[in-house]
Amino acid sequence: MPKAVFGLLLVFCLTPWASPPLALALGLVLAQTVGNPFPAFTKRYTAKLLQFSVIGLGFGLNAHAAVQAGREGLLFTIASISGTLVLGYFAGRWLKLGRVVTHLISCGTAICGGSAIAAVGPVVGAKDEEMSVALGTVFVLNAVALFAFPPIGHALAMSQQQFGLWCAIAIHDTSSVVGAASAYGSEALGVATTVKLARALWIIPVALGTAYFFKQKDVKVKLPWFILGFIGAMLLNTYVPATHVVGPWLVQLARLGLVVTLFFIGAGLSFKTIKSVGPRPFGLGVLLWIVISAASLYVIVKL
């Protein structure tokens, strides 16, 4: 029975009626009812599917517009990352959380969610339970953001540019950023994807800084390779007219891949996963998320 339900929902996610928020909701319903019958499969392919989807979205963007969007988001990126890490440090001490869990949640909130946690975790020697708590906190808040942000944007009459920038700064994972922005509009999607991926590059200096402050040696930090693929696809779309024939098809495939990715993410958020987070780590995640969301929204709307 669970396998049949999973298969039917997966097929539905490939139809034109499925949207990123709906796919996430269906995954969540599956996880809380019959359960995910393929947890190893969804966990293994979620990241890969997201990465290839992001690369495909690059075929729908113009490099000149992307550079402009990245330039406008640079100061926001620097201020929000440094501010979140500092606030996380003091809030974690106030909540009497362990140094490692505090730093993981802070990095996940400041940069790009699960990707940042996965990169920083080995640097600080994080245990499996510490990684699980940090990832669980971020994934739950990602789900909330994907549903909450588009209505807020419409209520405040935010422009496509404003909403895309806000998503990139205030939502943790790339999957939820792209999902929320795509629900708002194509221009918002382009801005959000570009700014978020530029933000993801900060994994490298933050991981190196983490190694210094945690007194770790011989640290190896992996470059998110799919960002290079995204840039390459965007350059091809801008300077090689021949790609315009297949570009729209690749973008459409990327959007489908994103919808399926969010279904997989929702299917992995069981009640057990949510319960394992605990109140204090979740409280830290909520506090940091509210502060960065509210502060960035205020600045963007007042610009």
Side-chain angles (χ1 to χ4, degrees), residues 97-107 124 126 129-131 133-134 137 281 284:
L97 286 171
R99 188 183 180 193
V100 171
V101 169
T102 295
H103 191 66
L104 291 177
I105 295 175
S106 299
C107 287
V124 296
E129 55 267 30
E130 292 170 327
M131 292 288 289
V133 165
T137 300
L284 174 63

Side-chain angles (χ1 to χ4, degrees), residues 27 40 49 68 87 94 101 111 115 131 156 158 160 176 184 193 199 221 223 236 241 266 270 282 288:
L49 188 57
Q68 180 63 26
L87 175 61
W94 175 60
V101 169
I111 308 174
S115 298
M131 292 288 289
L156 297 176
M158 297 178 73
Q160 295 279 317
S176 291
Y184 204 79
T193 305
R199 189 183 186 88
V221 182
L223 176 70
L236 286 173
S270 65
F282 190 69
L288 294 179

Side-chain angles (χ1 to χ4, degrees), residues 11-51:
V11 170
F12 175 79
C13 288
L14 298 174
T15 68
W17 300 289
S19 65
L22 180 57
L24 180 64
L26 292 174
L28 288 169
V29 171
L30 176 75
Q32 311 315 317
T33 53
V34 299
N36 179 4
F38 305 108
F41 174 84
T42 54
K43 182 178 180 180
R44 179 180 179 183
Y45 287 102
T46 295
K48 294 180 180 179
L49 188 57
L50 172 64
Q51 291 164 355

Side-chain angles (χ1 to χ4, degrees), residues 2-165:
K3 293 181 180 179
V5 174
F6 181 93
L8 288 173
L9 293 178
L10 180 58
V11 170
F12 175 79
C13 288
L14 298 174
T15 68
W17 300 289
S19 65
L22 180 57
L24 180 64
L26 292 174
L28 288 169
V29 171
L30 176 75
Q32 311 315 317
T33 53
V34 299
N36 179 4
F38 305 108
F41 174 84
T42 54
K43 182 178 180 180
R44 179 180 179 183
Y45 287 102
T46 295
K48 294 180 180 179
L49 188 57
L50 172 64
Q51 291 164 355
F52 283 111
S53 297
V54 167
I55 292 172
L57 290 174
F59 285 99
L61 298 176
N62 180 278
H64 304 294
V67 169
Q68 180 63 26
R71 186 183 297 119
E72 291 177 356
L74 180 60
L75 291 178
F76 281 119
T77 296
I78 295 173
S80 60
I81 289 177
S82 56
T84 301
L85 292 176
V86 171
L87 175 61
Y89 173 77
F90 288 105
R93 294 188 64 180
W94 175 60
L95 290 169
K96 297 181 180 179
L97 286 171
R99 188 183 180 193
V100 171
V101 169
T102 295
H103 191 66
L104 291 177
I105 295 175
S106 299
C107 287
T109 305
I111 308 174
C112 56
S115 298
I117 293 171
V120 174
V123 176
V124 296
K127 300 176 182 177
D128 289 343
E129 55 267 30
E130 292 170 327
M131 292 288 289
S132 297
V133 165
L135 289 170
T137 300
V138 165
F139 287 158
V140 171
L141 295 179
N142 271 327
V144 175
L146 181 57
F147 295 115
F149 271 49
I152 293 174
H154 287 301
L156 297 176
M158 297 178 73
S159 68
Q160 295 279 317
Q161 175 82 14
Q162 288 175 324
F163 187 79
L165 185 57

Side-chain angles (χ1 to χ4, degrees), residues 237-262:
N237 183 61
T238 304
Y239 297 109
V240 183
T243 60
H244 296 172
V245 177
V246 297
W249 293 95
L250 294 174
V251 172
Q252 184 60 31
L253 284 174
R255 289 176 180 266
L256 286 175
L258 173 66
V259 171
V260 174
T261 298
L262 288 167

